[in-house]
Amino acid sequence: PRLRFWHWFNFQSDDFGKVQIKDIDSVTWSDISANFVNTSSGVWTYPYLDLAEWGGKIVQIAFLFHSDPYNESSGWYIDDIVIQSDCTPPGQPGAISGNTSPCSGASYTYSISPVSGATSYTWTYSGSGTPTGNGTSCTLNPASSGTLSVTAGNACGSGPPQTLALAISAAPAQPGTITGNTSPCSGIQYSYSISPVSGATSYLWTYSGGGSTAWTNNNCTLTPTASGLLSVTAANACGSGPARTLALT
């Protein structure tokens, strides 16, 4: 075990502070720190005092401050006193499961298996978006690509992080020019096409005039019976992009 505490001090030349310990049934105090003298240079410090010799015993701990009656100074300030037992932080979490190509602004859930010895989990994201959750799962609405990280913690600290790279996906771009006859004859079947659109998994062809349409991906057949506007959009899991149109008369 070890004694930890935060302290700040500013002593006159003959003043000092030190930490002492004794068995509960003893009247003899033993020093477990050197004398703290002069000043802590205006900063709070966090000493480490080994209590291995006193492990398993019931003890009393004292913070002894000595001052003479002459000059004055700020004194000794102590906070957050704790005795830490020998323990270790949890290990690295296992793989994070979840979508690695999320759509911008949509909500996703990511999770890990419980980590042995963990009492808390911390999720962070390096891109735009803040993960919500402090257990083995979180929800995230990412707005840009980044790295999702999670650490497992307990009273002894946090273990190494597990990470997952996320690359933001978006709806496809507007298709390129539609190729095909712009002055078709009524009742005759014609073929129209566009070049494949990057990231598209499906296409939707529509015609505002009379007639029937059928399509396979980026190729369409149309039997027009009246003038109208032929339109095509490309889509994926993140939505549909803007339409490309062709006027037929």
Side-chain angles (χ1 to χ4, degrees), residues 26-98:
S26 174
V27 296
T28 303
W29 290 90
S30 300
D31 294 345
I32 55 173
S33 76
N35 289 349
F36 300 111
V37 297
N38 298 324
T39 175
S40 59
S41 300
V43 298
W44 288 83
T45 58
Y46 197 50
Y48 177 110
L49 302 181
D50 188 7
L51 301 179
E53 179 183 348
W54 306 88
K57 299 179 180 180
I58 300 176
V59 299
Q60 289 180 306
I61 295 173
F63 291 81
L64 175 65
F65 173 59
H66 169 81
S67 178
D68 61 36
Y70 302 108
N71 298 315
E72 295 182 356
S73 192
S74 303
W76 192 13
Y77 298 83
I78 303 166
D79 199 5
D80 291 339
I81 302 168
V82 62
I83 295 178
Q84 298 175 339
S85 61
D86 292 325
C87 61
T88 57
Q92 183 184 42
I96 300 172
S97 61

Side-chain angles (χ1 to χ4, degrees), residues 65-148:
F65 173 59
H66 169 81
S67 178
D68 61 36
Y70 302 108
N71 298 315
E72 295 182 356
S73 192
S74 303
W76 192 13
Y77 298 83
I78 303 166
D79 199 5
D80 291 339
I81 302 168
V82 62
I83 295 178
Q84 298 175 339
S85 61
D86 292 325
C87 61
T88 57
Q92 183 184 42
I96 300 172
S97 61
N99 194 321
T100 58
S101 301
C103 303
S104 178
S107 180
Y108 295 86
T109 298
Y110 297 88
S111 63
I112 56 171
S113 297
V115 179
S116 177
T119 57
S120 64
Y121 299 86
T122 301
W123 294 84
T124 58
Y125 185 56
S126 66
S128 296
T130 302
T132 301
N134 56 10
T136 56
S137 65
C138 78
T139 57
L140 175 66
N141 294 61
S144 66
S145 298
T147 300
L148 180 64

Side-chain angles (χ1 to χ4, degrees), residues 150-213:
V150 59
T151 57
N154 60 21
C156 298
S158 297
Q162 181 62 264
T163 61
L164 182 67
L166 306 185
I168 292 295
S169 297
Q174 183 183 41
T177 300
I178 300 173
T179 59
N181 195 319
T182 59
S183 300
C185 298
S186 176
I188 305 297
Q189 186 179 84
Y190 294 85
S191 294
Y192 297 88
S193 65
I194 58 170
S195 297
V197 179
S198 177
T201 57
S202 65
Y203 298 84
L204 177 64
W205 293 81
T206 59
Y207 183 59
S208 65
S212 61
T213 57

